[in-house]
Amino acid sequence: MTMPEALPLPPVTDDMETALADLRRAGVCVLRDVLSESAVATLRDKLVRQARAEQALGELAPKGMVGNKQFVPNMVNKGSEFLALVERSETEALAGSLLGRHFLLSSINGHVFWDTTSQPQTLHRDQGQVPAAIQLPLVCNLLWALDDFTPAAGSTRVVAGSHRWAPEHQITPPDAGMAQPVSVPAGGLLALDGRTWHGAGINANGSMRRSIATFFCAPWVRPQENAGVSCFQEVLEEASPTLRARLGMRTYGTMGTIGGTRSQVPGATLSSDPFEFPEFIIGEAGSLHPLPRVSRRQKN
Protein backbone atom coordinates (compact mmCIF):
# COMPACT_ATOMS: atom_id res chain seq x y z
CA MET A 1 0.00 0.00 0.00
CA THR A 2 1.17 3.51 -0.72
CA MET A 3 1.47 5.58 2.44
CA PRO A 4 -0.58 8.79 2.51
CA GLU A 5 1.27 12.06 2.89
CA ALA A 6 1.52 14.25 5.98
CA LEU A 7 0.13 17.77 5.95
CA PRO A 8 2.25 20.80 6.88
CA LEU A 9 2.10 21.67 10.56
CA PRO A 10 -0.30 24.55 11.24
CA PRO A 11 1.38 27.74 12.51
CA VAL A 12 1.08 28.92 16.09
CA THR A 13 -1.99 31.10 16.60
CA ASP A 14 -3.68 33.15 19.30
CA ASP A 15 -7.12 32.84 17.71
CA MET A 16 -9.36 30.04 18.98
CA GLU A 17 -11.42 29.74 15.79
CA THR A 18 -8.23 29.29 13.78
CA ALA A 19 -7.00 26.71 16.28
CA LEU A 20 -10.25 24.76 16.06
CA ALA A 21 -10.07 24.76 12.26
CA ASP A 22 -6.45 23.55 12.44
CA LEU A 23 -7.43 20.78 14.85
CA ARG A 24 -10.18 19.56 12.52
CA ARG A 25 -8.01 19.75 9.40
CA ALA A 26 -4.57 18.66 10.68
CA GLY A 27 -5.38 16.83 13.92
CA VAL A 28 -3.13 19.27 15.79
CA CYS A 29 -3.12 22.95 16.76
CA VAL A 30 -0.98 25.28 18.86
CA LEU A 31 -2.24 28.29 20.84
CA ARG A 32 0.22 30.83 22.21
CA ASP A 33 -0.01 32.94 25.39
CA VAL A 34 -2.68 30.80 27.02
CA LEU A 35 -1.11 30.82 30.50
CA SER A 36 0.16 33.97 32.20
CA GLU A 37 3.81 34.24 33.26
CA SER A 38 2.79 33.94 36.91
CA ALA A 39 0.68 30.84 36.22
CA VAL A 40 3.57 29.24 34.33
CA ALA A 41 5.97 29.99 37.19
CA THR A 42 3.59 28.49 39.76
CA LEU A 43 2.99 25.34 37.73
CA ARG A 44 6.71 24.88 37.08
CA ASP A 45 7.52 25.13 40.77
CA LYS A 46 4.70 22.82 41.84
CA LEU A 47 5.59 20.23 39.20
CA VAL A 48 9.31 20.17 40.02
CA ARG A 49 8.68 19.89 43.77
CA GLN A 50 6.20 17.06 43.17
CA ALA A 51 8.58 15.24 40.82
CA ARG A 52 11.45 15.49 43.32
CA ALA A 53 9.23 14.25 46.13
CA GLU A 54 8.22 11.20 44.10
CA GLN A 55 11.85 10.50 43.22
CA ALA A 56 12.56 10.46 46.95
CA LEU A 57 10.11 7.57 47.37
CA GLY A 58 12.80 5.28 45.97
CA GLU A 59 11.43 1.77 45.44
CA LEU A 60 7.90 3.02 46.11
CA ALA A 61 8.04 5.48 43.22
CA PRO A 62 5.85 4.68 40.19
CA LYS A 63 7.71 2.05 38.17
CA GLY A 64 9.81 3.27 35.27
CA MET A 65 8.96 6.90 35.94
CA VAL A 66 12.31 8.12 37.29
CA GLY A 67 15.11 9.12 34.92
CA ASN A 68 16.19 11.97 32.65
CA LYS A 69 12.59 12.05 31.47
CA GLN A 70 10.16 11.72 34.36
CA PHE A 71 6.44 11.06 34.27
CA VAL A 72 4.35 12.26 37.24
CA PRO A 73 0.95 10.48 37.26
CA ASN A 74 -2.45 11.08 38.90
CA MET A 75 -2.09 14.81 39.44
CA VAL A 76 -5.74 15.24 40.41
CA ASN A 77 -4.56 14.85 44.01
CA LYS A 78 -1.44 17.00 43.72
CA GLY A 79 -2.59 20.59 43.59
CA SER A 80 -5.58 22.72 42.68
CA GLU A 81 -3.40 24.58 40.15
CA PHE A 82 -3.30 21.46 37.98
CA LEU A 83 -7.04 20.80 38.31
CA ALA A 84 -7.76 24.38 37.25
CA LEU A 85 -6.53 23.50 33.75
CA VAL A 86 -9.51 21.16 33.36
CA GLU A 87 -12.01 24.02 33.67
CA ARG A 88 -10.32 26.57 31.46
CA SER A 89 -12.23 27.95 28.48
CA GLU A 90 -9.57 26.56 26.10
CA THR A 91 -10.24 23.07 27.46
CA GLU A 92 -13.98 23.42 27.00
CA ALA A 93 -13.54 24.66 23.42
CA LEU A 94 -10.89 22.20 22.20
CA ALA A 95 -11.89 19.00 23.99
CA GLY A 96 -15.58 19.80 23.59
CA SER A 97 -15.21 20.29 19.84
CA LEU A 98 -13.87 16.75 19.46
CA LEU A 99 -15.64 14.81 22.20
CA GLY A 100 -18.91 16.63 22.86
CA ARG A 101 -19.99 18.51 25.95
CA HIS A 102 -20.06 15.49 28.31
CA PHE A 103 -16.37 14.60 27.88
CA LEU A 104 -14.47 13.15 30.86
CA LEU A 105 -11.04 13.82 32.30
CA SER A 106 -9.06 10.67 31.54
CA SER A 107 -5.89 11.72 33.41
CA ILE A 108 -3.64 14.62 34.37
CA ASN A 109 0.08 13.86 34.16
CA GLY A 110 3.26 15.87 34.51
CA HIS A 111 6.27 15.51 32.22
CA VAL A 112 9.79 16.66 33.05
CA PHE A 113 12.90 16.41 30.88
CA TRP A 114 15.71 16.82 33.43
CA ASP A 115 18.57 16.32 30.97
CA THR A 116 19.43 14.82 27.60
CA THR A 117 17.71 11.71 26.28
CA SER A 118 18.98 9.32 23.62
CA GLN A 119 15.81 7.72 22.20
CA PRO A 120 12.69 9.34 20.77
CA GLN A 121 9.31 8.11 21.88
CA THR A 122 7.75 5.61 19.50
CA LEU A 123 5.14 7.19 17.25
CA HIS A 124 1.73 6.29 18.57
CA ARG A 125 -1.91 7.32 18.56
CA ASP A 126 -3.45 8.14 21.92
CA GLN A 127 -6.52 6.33 20.62
CA GLY A 128 -4.48 3.22 19.83
CA GLN A 129 -6.59 0.99 22.09
CA VAL A 130 -9.63 1.70 19.92
CA PRO A 131 -10.15 -0.31 16.70
CA ALA A 132 -8.88 1.78 13.77
CA ALA A 133 -12.11 1.18 11.89
CA ILE A 134 -13.83 3.58 14.31
CA GLN A 135 -13.29 6.87 12.52
CA LEU A 136 -14.27 9.17 15.36
CA PRO A 137 -12.15 11.12 17.86
CA LEU A 138 -12.70 9.40 21.21
CA VAL A 139 -9.78 10.93 23.13
CA CYS A 140 -7.75 14.10 22.91
CA ASN A 141 -4.62 15.40 24.61
CA LEU A 142 -3.94 18.98 25.67
CA LEU A 143 -0.28 19.65 26.48
CA TRP A 144 0.35 22.83 28.51
CA ALA A 145 3.92 24.00 27.82
CA LEU A 146 5.72 25.32 30.91
CA ASP A 147 8.99 25.71 28.97
CA ASP A 148 9.57 26.29 25.26
CA PHE A 149 8.92 23.19 23.17
CA THR A 150 11.77 23.24 20.63
CA PRO A 151 13.21 20.48 18.43
CA ALA A 152 16.52 20.62 20.34
CA ALA A 153 14.68 20.16 23.65
CA GLY A 154 12.73 17.10 22.45
CA SER A 155 9.48 18.70 21.38
CA THR A 156 6.58 16.51 20.31
CA ARG A 157 6.83 15.20 16.73
CA VAL A 158 3.51 15.07 14.89
CA VAL A 159 2.31 13.55 11.62
CA ALA A 160 -0.21 16.25 10.76
CA GLY A 161 -3.33 15.04 8.99
CA SER A 162 -2.82 11.39 9.98
CA HIS A 163 -6.08 11.43 11.96
CA ARG A 164 -7.91 11.31 8.63
CA TRP A 165 -5.92 8.45 7.10
CA ALA A 166 -7.70 5.25 6.11
CA PRO A 167 -7.93 2.60 8.88
CA GLU A 168 -5.21 0.43 7.33
CA HIS A 169 -2.72 3.25 7.95
CA GLN A 170 -3.76 3.73 11.58
CA ILE A 171 -2.56 0.37 12.87
CA THR A 172 1.22 0.34 12.36
CA PRO A 173 3.23 3.53 13.03
CA PRO A 174 4.37 5.37 9.90
CA ASP A 175 8.01 6.06 9.14
CA ALA A 176 9.42 8.33 11.85
CA GLY A 177 10.71 10.67 9.15
CA MET A 178 7.12 11.74 8.44
CA ALA A 179 6.80 13.33 11.89
CA GLN A 180 7.61 17.03 12.25
CA PRO A 181 8.65 18.64 15.57
CA VAL A 182 6.13 21.13 16.93
CA SER A 183 7.37 24.38 18.45
CA VAL A 184 5.29 25.69 21.36
CA PRO A 185 6.28 28.78 23.37
CA ALA A 186 6.16 28.54 27.17
CA GLY A 187 2.63 29.33 28.28
CA GLY A 188 1.22 27.88 25.10
CA LEU A 189 -1.02 24.89 24.48
CA LEU A 190 -0.63 21.97 22.06
CA ALA A 191 -3.83 20.05 21.24
CA LEU A 192 -3.88 16.64 19.58
CA ASP A 193 -6.77 14.64 18.15
CA GLY A 194 -6.45 11.13 19.64
CA ARG A 195 -6.12 9.58 16.17
CA THR A 196 -3.04 11.63 15.19
CA TRP A 197 0.34 9.85 15.10
CA HIS A 198 2.88 11.59 17.35
CA GLY A 199 5.71 11.04 19.85
CA ALA A 200 8.18 13.00 21.96
CA GLY A 201 11.54 13.75 20.40
CA ILE A 202 15.09 13.51 21.72
CA ASN A 203 16.23 16.15 24.18
CA ALA A 204 19.61 16.89 22.61
CA ASN A 205 20.55 20.10 24.41
CA GLY A 206 19.77 18.92 27.95
CA SER A 207 17.52 21.86 28.80
CA MET A 208 14.73 21.30 31.28
CA ARG A 209 11.37 20.94 29.56
CA ARG A 210 8.26 20.73 31.71
CA SER A 211 4.66 20.27 30.69
CA ILE A 212 1.27 19.16 31.98
CA ALA A 213 -0.84 16.76 29.92
CA THR A 214 -4.59 16.88 30.44
CA PHE A 215 -6.05 13.87 28.66
CA PHE A 216 -9.77 13.66 27.89
CA CYS A 217 -12.12 10.97 26.60
CA ALA A 218 -15.69 10.52 25.42
CA PRO A 219 -18.10 9.85 28.32
CA TRP A 220 -18.42 6.16 27.50
CA VAL A 221 -14.68 5.45 27.15
CA ARG A 222 -12.71 4.01 30.07
CA PRO A 223 -10.38 6.72 31.50
CA GLN A 224 -6.64 6.21 32.04
CA GLU A 225 -6.86 7.05 35.75
CA ASN A 226 -9.63 5.48 37.82
CA ALA A 227 -10.78 8.60 39.69
CA GLY A 228 -13.43 6.66 41.56
CA VAL A 229 -10.64 4.77 43.34
CA SER A 230 -7.67 7.14 43.40
CA CYS A 231 -9.18 10.62 43.74
CA PHE A 232 -9.19 12.06 47.26
CA GLN A 233 -12.69 12.46 48.68
CA GLU A 234 -11.77 16.05 49.60
CA VAL A 235 -10.96 16.82 45.95
CA LEU A 236 -14.48 15.79 45.00
CA GLU A 237 -16.03 17.72 47.89
CA GLU A 238 -14.15 20.89 46.91
CA ALA A 239 -14.76 20.52 43.18
CA SER A 240 -17.24 22.56 41.17
CA PRO A 241 -20.14 20.70 39.50
CA THR A 242 -18.26 20.94 36.19
CA LEU A 243 -15.06 19.44 37.60
CA ARG A 244 -17.00 16.68 39.36
CA ALA A 245 -18.63 15.79 36.05
CA ARG A 246 -15.23 15.74 34.29
CA LEU A 247 -13.95 13.37 37.00
CA GLY A 248 -16.79 10.97 36.23
CA MET A 249 -19.03 11.88 39.16
CA ARG A 250 -22.00 12.04 36.83
CA THR A 251 -23.80 9.22 35.09
CA TYR A 252 -24.02 9.10 31.32
CA GLY A 253 -27.38 7.54 30.64
CA THR A 254 -27.14 4.08 32.23
CA MET A 255 -23.32 4.21 32.44
CA GLY A 256 -21.24 5.05 35.49
CA THR A 257 -23.71 4.11 38.22
CA ILE A 258 -22.69 2.64 41.60
CA GLY A 259 -24.98 0.10 43.26
CA GLY A 260 -25.40 0.90 46.95
CA THR A 261 -27.69 2.53 49.49
CA ARG A 262 -29.90 5.25 47.99
CA SER A 263 -28.22 4.77 44.62
CA GLN A 264 -29.84 5.15 41.20
CA VAL A 265 -30.89 1.79 39.72
CA PRO A 266 -29.09 1.25 36.37
CA GLY A 267 -31.60 1.41 33.54
CA ALA A 268 -34.22 3.28 35.56
CA THR A 269 -33.37 6.50 33.76
CA LEU A 270 -31.66 7.53 30.55
CA SER A 271 -30.77 10.96 31.86
CA SER A 272 -27.27 12.03 32.90
CA ASP A 273 -27.23 13.02 36.57
CA PRO A 274 -24.74 13.87 39.32
CA PHE A 275 -24.20 11.20 41.95
CA GLU A 276 -22.60 10.78 45.34
CA PHE A 277 -20.76 7.70 46.51
CA PRO A 278 -23.19 5.57 48.56
CA GLU A 279 -22.42 5.14 52.24
CA PHE A 280 -22.83 1.38 52.00
CA ILE A 281 -22.57 -1.28 49.30
CA ILE A 282 -25.44 -3.77 49.57
CA GLY A 283 -24.47 -7.43 49.82
CA GLU A 284 -26.25 -10.74 50.19
CA ALA A 285 -29.45 -10.77 52.19
CA GLY A 286 -29.41 -6.96 52.32
CA SER A 287 -26.18 -6.80 54.32
CA LEU A 288 -24.56 -3.33 54.37
CA HIS A 289 -20.81 -2.84 53.86
CA PRO A 290 -19.15 0.60 54.29
CA LEU A 291 -17.63 2.00 51.10
CA PRO A 292 -14.14 3.29 52.00
CA ARG A 293 -12.83 6.45 50.34
CA VAL A 294 -9.22 7.60 50.11
CA SER A 295 -8.63 10.82 52.06
CA ARG A 296 -5.88 13.41 52.53
CA ARG A 297 -6.15 12.66 56.23
CA GLN A 298 -4.99 9.08 55.70
CA LYS A 299 -1.19 9.00 55.67
CA ASN A 300 1.31 6.17 56.04
Side-chain angles (χ1 to χ4, degrees):
M1 295 182 292
T2 302
M3 283 297 295
E5 295 182 354
L7 298 178
L9 284 173
V12 178
T13 182
D14 54 12
D15 178 69
M16 179 56 76
E17 290 305 315
T18 300
L20 290 170
D22 290 339
L23 187 58
R24 289 190 295 270
R25 177 184 59 85
V28 56
C29 68
V30 180
L31 279 164
R32 68 163 67 88
D33 298 330
V34 174
L35 301 174
S36 67
E37 290 185 9
S38 62
V40 169
T42 297
L43 288 166
R44 282 175 178 165
D45 179 64
K46 291 270 297 185
L47 176 58
V48 167
R49 285 192 285 117
Q50 184 67 38
R52 292 294 192 196
E54 296 194 16
Q55 286 179 348
L57 294 174
E59 292 183 356
L60 293 178
K63 293 182 179 179
M65 300 306 178
V66 177
N68 282 356
K69 181 185 176 186
Q70 185 177 352
F71 178 84
V72 184
N74 193 30
M75 299 190 75
V76 296
N77 293 328
K78 298 171 183 177
S80 59
E81 296 87 351
F82 304 120
L83 280 171
L85 300 173
V86 177
E87 295 190 83
R88 288 187 63 97
S89 60
E90 297 88 358
T91 299
E92 292 290 325
L94 293 165
S97 73
L98 293 176
L99 307 175
R101 64 190 180 93
H102 291 297
F103 65 88
L104 299 180
L105 176 66
S106 187
S107 63
I108 307 181
N109 303 308
H111 299 265
V112 182
F113 278 91
W114 296 108
D115 207 335
T116 58
T117 57
S118 58
Q119 294 294 326
Q121 186 181 32
T122 301
L123 292 182
H124 62 282
R125 301 187 313 134
D126 288 333
Q127 197 164 302
Q129 75 278 16
V130 177
I134 298 177
Q135 292 290 287
L136 292 171
L138 301 182
V139 304
C140 73
N141 217 337
L142 304 185
L143 298 172
W144 308 81
L146 306 183
D147 297 290
D148 291 341
F149 277 37
T150 65
S155 64
T156 304
R157 302 165 301 135
V158 177
V159 184
S162 57
H163 66 309
R164 300 178 70 178
W165 287 358
E168 58 266 28
H169 297 298
Q170 295 188 347
I171 299 171
T172 303
D175 185 275
M178 297 186 73
Q180 306 168 76
V182 179
S183 294
V184 186
L189 174 59
L190 167 64
L192 289 165
D193 184 303
R195 299 167 294 172
T196 303
W197 289 104
H198 68 283
I202 295 172
N203 187 330
N205 64 14
S207 62
M208 183 178 289
R209 180 165 76 73
R210 293 155 288 191
S211 62
I212 306 296
T214 51
F215 190 52
F216 300 97
C217 62
W220 48 273
V221 172
R222 187 175 186 178
Q224 283 187 324
E225 288 280 356
N226 191 329
V229 174
S230 64
C231 187
F232 288 151
Q233 180 63 30
E234 292 87 350
V235 169
L236 299 178
E237 292 169 356
E238 295 162 6
S240 69
T242 296
L243 181 56
R244 284 181 59 86
R246 299 295 180 231
L247 288 167
M249 301 299 108
R250 184 181 180 89
T251 61
Y252 184 65
T254 61
M255 299 178 182
T257 62
I258 296 179
T261 50
R262 298 186 176 88
S263 62
Q264 177 68 56
V265 177
T269 178
L270 296 179
S271 63
S272 299
D273 300 301
F275 73 81
E276 300 287 342
F277 284 104
E279 184 178 2
F280 298 97
I281 298 297
I282 302 172
E284 292 183 72
S287 57
L288 299 180
H289 306 267
L291 178 64
R293 293 289 301 137
V294 63
S295 168
R296 291 192 187 113
R297 296 184 293 272
Q298 300 165 338
K299 294 183 179 179
N300 186 18

